[in-house]
Amino acid sequence: MKIVETFATTRGLAAGIVGLVPTMGYLHEGHLSLVTRARRRVDTVVVSLFVNPLQFGPGEDLERYPRDIERDAALAADAGADVLFAPGVDEMYPEPPVTRVTVDPLGEGLCGRTRPGHFTGVATVVAKLFAGIGPDAAWFGRKDAQQLAIVRRLAADLSFPVTVHGGPIVRAADGLALSSRNLYLSGEERRAALALSRGLMEAADAVAGGETDGPRLEAMVRAVAGEESRVDLEYAELTDAASVTRLHRVDRPSFLAVAARVGRTRLIDNVHFDPRPGGGYEPDRGVRLVGRGMLQGGA
Ligand code: AMP
């Protein structure tokens, strides 16, 4: 695997069908599951690693975001990446960008309410990666469900010839959705954070049993999160998976999304609901790690 810092070198190494997995680094099995998926489908797998200042707000964790390129390089190579594109800020933004990509109204709800400008930062850097690398396909995690909807829409609206794929949420064995930010959690906070996935799994059970009422599903998540004093819930919302608008009933592809602060750490999680062929809705609970590096459920 080659480690490169410029768009031009990345393009030079991109042979055949090219797949891109954009990340902010500090890779875990969630990222690596996307690399594995890309590896099965394309000739050249490019993993990008860039902690994008444009998507962090004032007072957020840009400076303390974990960084370890040697560790990331070893993990990406192991998972089958061909190129690790790790640009500096000067390569990504030779000048502060005055051209920005805004995907309103998909970026206004959910996390957009407390992170103004965040999704414009995400959409702008993704558009730059698509334009600068020219991948045929790109893989994003359903962990960031709002982001995935935004990326799909930006690719369609701006006519990027990129097929956008979503991958299931990878969870630790106890249910916690993997995130580079989990590193910030103390032992007590990590235990408390499990209330989020527990609440979502309860709601998933209810949907599997035929429940479709949005407010009742949201209330289940709120009740479980409310049992943990360390969990400060920001939202629990049933959301249309394409338009990212509030839904009152599970009657189309949708997700139940949560965001919460646990101590100083902001966490998000969700469960997707897709129509079943025979009627009803299938919850996608993600996949759980069963041991170090072993994925269960076909990630
Ligand atoms: P990040 O480095 O957090 O920006 O994430 C890079 C990509 O990995 C995004 O498409 C995320 O949605 C995806 N991702 C992060 N965590 C997970 C996870 N636990 N399961 C699946 N995908 C994930």
Side-chain angles (χ1 to χ4, degrees), residues 172-249:
D174 57 11
L176 185 69
L178 299 191
S179 162
S180 309
R181 290 188 167 102
N182 291 348
L183 191 75
Y184 303 149
L185 298 170
S186 70
E188 255 311 291
E189 287 169 349
R190 195 189 177 291
R191 194 199 53 72
L194 288 174
L196 299 178
S197 51
R198 255 198 333 269
L200 289 172
M201 295 310 138
E202 247 182 54
D205 289 343
V207 170
E211 178 65 88
T212 58
D213 185 77
R216 275 207 290 270
L217 295 167
E218 292 165 358
M220 281 179 201
V221 176
R222 271 201 299 274
V224 179
E227 290 164 9
E228 288 289 349
S229 61
R230 287 171 198 269
V231 174
D232 184 7
L233 196 67
E234 207 176 273
Y235 62 73
E237 270 184 47
L238 181 67
T239 306
D240 181 308
S243 68
V244 196
T245 50
R246 183 98 179 250
L247 269 186
H248 291 280
R249 189 159 288 288

Side-chain angles (χ1 to χ4, degrees), residues 1 33 42 45 59 67 69 95 135 160 164 170 190 197-199 206 208 215 220 222 228 241 258 266 289 296:
M1 187 191 73
S33 71
V42 301
V45 177
R67 292 164 170 90
I69 187 165
E95 295 194 61
F160 279 111
V164 176
V170 179
R190 195 189 177 291
S197 51
R198 255 198 333 269
M220 281 179 201
R222 271 201 299 274
E228 288 289 349
V258 293
R266 187 173 181 280
L289 292 173
Q296 189 180 30

